[in-house]
Amino acid sequence: MRKGIGKMNKIIIDTLTKNVKWYKIYEITQWDKIFQNVDKKLQKKKLNYAKVSAAELKSLEEKDGNIPLYTTGLFDAKTIEITAKNFINNDEVITIPDGRANIRYINGKFVITDHNKLCKSFDKNIVSTKYIYYFFKNKNIEIQSFYTGAAPQSCDMNKLLNLQIPIPPLEIQNKIVSVLDKFSELEAELGKELQLRKKQYEYYRNKLLSFDKEKEMGGSGFLR
């Protein structure tokens, strides 16, 4: 057993909720689309990214590529700059695809299809984009319930934008992200052997993001 995992077994979460502020998602994010049935007052800024159709994206695949290609599904391929130069984006974003809530975090160069909604923090000095991503992952079942319509289904953005999110100080956000990143890395590295650890990861993710004021969470202060 790795030392990091052993230590995780002894963690008692302490997030000092007095410094947590609650916002709605629309207050702390920017998106690349103006959504129907959403009050335009909630959509103050529109981001711009290059997008391609699914057919175009698959035609860009290169065997020795280093730039990820993203569809709405689990397509796993890459391209190279000379092949996809007109469609390459370079940013830190979260994707909300049509079809299913297959939510992704991207940081770097990427090419993506047009059936994805992209967002990021409205101010990285206040809210971490990756913290928002982990919040979305923690709400994955609820977000999936927002999907409606004919195939491919699309997320009801009015519901998603009005989700409430707890925002602790940036230092705490970064420490939460660091803890969850470690579990994600272990999950990818060990695969099936990490099924029990995955349950543990989900437990801590839920605790780290719940900020339940009715429970006492004193202890070792691993987030300090």
Side-chain angles (χ1 to χ4, degrees):
M1 180 181 291
R2 297 188 173 211
K3 290 183 179 180
I5 291 296
K7 289 180 180 179
M8 287 298 174
N9 289 334
K10 300 177 182 179
I11 289 174
I12 300 175
I13 298 165
D14 177 12
T15 54
L16 301 177
T17 60
K18 65 181 180 180
N19 292 323
V20 173
K21 296 181 180 179
W22 289 81
Y23 294 88
K24 290 189 175 182
I25 290 296
Y26 73 79
E27 296 179 287
I28 50 91
T29 55
Q30 306 172 69
W31 295 79
D32 71 324
K33 293 185 178 182
I34 300 299
F35 305 111
Q36 294 182 352
N37 303 320
V38 175
D39 190 337
K40 287 185 171 52
K41 293 179 181 178
L42 309 185
Q43 304 175 72
K44 297 178 181 179
K45 183 177 180 180
K46 181 176 177 291
L47 304 173
N48 292 303
Y49 296 101
K51 293 184 179 180
V52 300
S53 68
E56 284 179 297
L57 182 125
K58 291 180 180 179
S59 73
L60 299 174
E61 183 178 356
E62 296 284 357
K63 182 178 179 181
D64 298 318
N66 62 340
I67 299 172
L69 300 172
Y70 294 103
T71 64
T72 58
L74 300 178
F75 180 67
D76 184 15
K78 295 182 179 181
T79 187
I80 58 176
E81 192 148 354
I82 194 169
T83 299
K85 61 181 179 180
N86 294 327
F87 306 113
I88 296 172
N89 303 287
N90 190 358
D91 205 354
E92 182 185 20
V93 296
I94 302 163
T95 73
I96 309 291
D98 292 343
R100 289 191 60 80
N102 182 30
I103 301 167
R104 295 188 180 94
Y105 168 81
I106 304 171
N107 191 4
K109 294 181 179 180
F110 65 95
V111 179
I112 197 162
T113 60
D114 50 9
H115 285 285
N116 283 276
K117 303 172 180 69
L118 305 182
C119 77
K120 64 180 182 178
S121 166
F122 84 117
D123 186 339
K124 65 181 181 180
N125 295 312
I126 297 174
V127 183
S128 160
T129 293
K130 201 165 192 181
Y131 174 83
I132 299 170
Y133 162 74
Y134 277 125
F135 172 81
F136 283 160
K137 293 296 287 184
N138 196 49
K139 293 283 187 179
N140 194 261
I141 294 175
E142 183 176 359
I143 293 174
Q144 182 61 56
S145 74
F146 297 162
Y147 278 64
T148 59
Q153 292 187 324
S154 183
C155 183
D156 183 333
M157 294 305 297
N158 194 51
K159 291 181 179 178
L160 188 144
L161 291 173
N162 279 285
L163 281 177
Q164 287 193 313
I165 178 173
I167 304 295
L170 189 61
E171 180 183 4
I172 299 298
Q173 293 176 47
N174 291 336
K175 289 177 179 178
I176 289 171
V177 165
S178 178
V179 170
L180 298 179
D181 277 349
K182 289 176 183 177
F183 278 107
S184 295
E185 290 166 8
L186 286 170
E187 183 181 12
E189 181 182 345
L190 299 179
K192 291 182 180 179
E193 295 180 15
L194 255 184
Q195 290 305 308
L196 291 177
R197 301 307 175 195
K198 183 177 180 180
K199 292 180 180 179
Q200 184 186 41
Y201 158 79
E202 291 170 350
Y203 169 80
Y204 280 114
R205 182 180 68 192
N206 183 59
K207 288 293 184 182
L208 287 164
L209 295 171
S210 66
F211 296 95
D212 189 341
K213 295 181 181 179
E214 294 181 0
K215 296 180 181 179
E216 294 183 0
M217 297 189 294
S220 61
F222 82 106
L223 292 176
R224 293 173 184 170

